[in-house]
Amino acid sequence: AGMMAIRMGPGPWLKFVGMLGIKIPGGVEPDDFDYFHEMLTHLEFARLGRPGFVDSLGAGWGISAPAVFHFCNDDVRKTVGAQLLKGDKWSALAISEPFAG
């Protein structure tokens, strides 16, 4: 679960990572996690060498889960947000492009 949470980069979800006891790989504390650490995370995933496989591991989740922490109320953040970070739930962002029809 720690790898999924850090793929989203620095943000308000990192305070939940610490509260839920999710360990960030490398022993990095949530308060110390920055964009350099996020870059390392994406580089490690890229080393798998299979973009389709890597995307199936959370590209949709990585763009939809931050929306829960940015736009939902505190109750949803504490329930659904926590379940997303622990890997108990999966999410997808359902939007359309402005000129998609």
Side-chain angles (χ1 to χ4, degrees):
M3 289 296 286
M4 293 303 292
I6 62 177
R7 283 183 77 185
M8 294 190 296
W13 42 87
L14 287 179
K15 73 176 185 178
F16 287 93
V17 167
M19 290 185 331
L20 295 170
I22 297 171
K23 301 292 183 205
I24 295 176
V28 178
E29 293 296 321
D31 291 339
D32 297 330
F33 189 83
D34 60 17
Y35 291 106
F36 175 75
H37 297 102
E38 181 190 6
M39 178 193 70
L40 293 176
T41 302
H42 292 298
L43 287 172
E44 287 300 311
F45 270 97
R47 290 180 61 171
L48 293 171
R50 303 286 184 250
F53 176 70
V54 171
D55 283 348
S56 73
L57 292 176
W61 183 92
I63 63 171
S64 62
V68 171
F69 292 95
H70 283 296
F71 303 112
C72 292
N73 63 38
D74 285 337
D75 291 334
V76 175
R77 286 185 194 123
K78 290 176 184 172
T79 56
V80 176
Q83 292 169 337
L84 289 170
L85 290 174
K86 290 188 294 185
D88 294 338
K89 284 200 182 276
W90 202 252
S91 63
L93 190 60
I95 60 171
S96 74
E97 298 298 325
F99 300 105

